[in-house]
């Protein structure tokens, strides 16, 4: 069985994603040219996006990762954010760029913004590949957004359902019968 059979429709092709990443990379290169930011990828979903994004940036930067959980195997965020793996970098006085796959309810992002601001970062900004504003609960927004998505359950290019579909080269809507019990 091919994963493509589980997809209701493709929202963004690999070319759409590549174009969005290149545009973000150009903007971030300009904004961070002389700042040597710590680019923090939020595992696991943001990993493919972050790798492509930093390759599209032409400035000095450092890479780190944080692993947080708010979904588990569910399709809805629990609202409780748990840090599973913290960053190794000291961000005191540094410019931090959080890289997220999708801003959905905003709860995870809200907690991470509080965390990094509390660690004395010079600035904390967010770059998200996807934004789903219809679902926002927390009062947060990404500073840099690649693409806006409708209120549908999306997978691919890092986004998952029960750890599957991350390796799809596009972003698609998962058929409801796949995730509804």
């Amino acid at each position: 069985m091919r994963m493509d059979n589980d997809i209701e429709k493709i929202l963004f092709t690999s070319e759409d994603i590549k174009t969005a990443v290149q545009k973000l990379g150009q903007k971030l290169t300009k904004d961070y040219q002389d700042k040597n930011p710590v680019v923090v990828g939020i595992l696991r979903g943001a990993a493919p996006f972050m790798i492509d994004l930093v390759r599209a940036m032409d400035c000095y930067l450092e890479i780190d990762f944080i692993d947080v959980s708010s979904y588990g195997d569910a399709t809805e965020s629990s609202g409780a954010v748990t840090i599973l793996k913290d960053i190794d970098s000291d961000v005191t006085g540094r410019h931090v760029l959080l890289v997220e796959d999708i801003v959905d309810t905003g709860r995870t992002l809200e907690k991470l913004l509080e965390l990094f601001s509390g660690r004395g970062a010079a600035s904390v900004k967010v770059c998200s590949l996807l934004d789903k504003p219809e679902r926002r609960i927390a009062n947060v927004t990404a500073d840099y957004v690649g693409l806006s998505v409708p209120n549908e359950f999306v997978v691919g290019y890092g986004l998952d359902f029960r750890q599957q579909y991350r390796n799809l080269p596009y972003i698609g809507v998962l058929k409801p019968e796949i995730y509804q019990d």
Side-chain angles (χ1 to χ4, degrees):
M1 179 167 184
R2 293 178 34 91
M3 290 185 294
D4 293 334
N5 295 333
D6 297 346
I7 304 302
E8 187 173 279
K9 64 183 173 188
I10 295 174
L11 291 179
F12 302 107
T13 66
S14 57
E15 276 304 310
D16 296 333
I17 295 166
K18 183 179 180 180
T19 299
V21 170
Q22 290 300 317
K23 286 180 183 176
L24 286 169
Q26 291 169 0
K27 176 76 171 132
L28 291 166
T29 295
K30 181 180 173 213
D31 292 356
Y32 285 96
Q33 193 59 54
D34 298 317
K35 295 183 178 175
N36 191 21
V38 179
V39 181
V40 178
I42 302 169
L43 295 173
R44 296 175 196 158
F49 170 51
M50 180 174 158
I51 297 306
D52 289 343
L53 182 68
V54 296
R55 288 190 299 204
M57 293 172 67
D58 185 17
C59 61
Y60 292 100
L61 57 83
E62 293 177 27
I63 294 173
D64 210 330
F65 292 94
I66 190 166
D67 192 2
V68 296
S69 176
S70 66
Y71 282 82
D73 282 340
T75 58
E76 298 280 333
S77 173
S78 66
V81 177
T82 305
I83 296 176
L84 304 174
K85 183 239 177 267
D86 207 342
I87 63 168
D88 297 317
S89 306
D90 179 6
V91 298
T92 307
R94 302 286 307 277
H95 297 280
V96 175
L97 179 64
L98 297 175
V99 178
E100 182 66 290
D101 54 357
I102 186 168
V103 179
D104 194 344
T105 65
R107 289 176 173 157
T108 300
L109 196 52
E110 181 178 53
K111 298 292 184 196
L112 289 174
L113 288 167
E114 288 173 13
L115 176 73
F116 283 97
S117 293
R119 290 181 177 179
S123 69
V124 183
K125 303 265 178 150
V126 176
C127 180
S128 183
L129 175 63
L130 302 176
D131 186 29
K132 194 186 286 187
E134 290 177 55
R135 300 247 316 135
R136 197 80 75 246
I137 292 171
N139 186 24
V140 296
T141 56
D143 301 281
Y144 306 91
V145 174
L147 303 159
S148 187
V149 293
N151 188 14
E152 297 186 85
F153 195 81
V154 293
V155 294
Y157 194 69
L159 293 107
D160 75 300
F161 172 64
R162 295 187 176 157
Q163 301 303 325
Q164 301 298 307
Y165 307 100
R166 292 187 195 276
N167 55 321
L168 288 172
Y170 56 81
I171 295 169
V173 176
L174 193 61
K175 289 179 179 175
E177 60 265 26
I178 302 298
Y179 61 87
Q180 292 175 341
D181 294 325

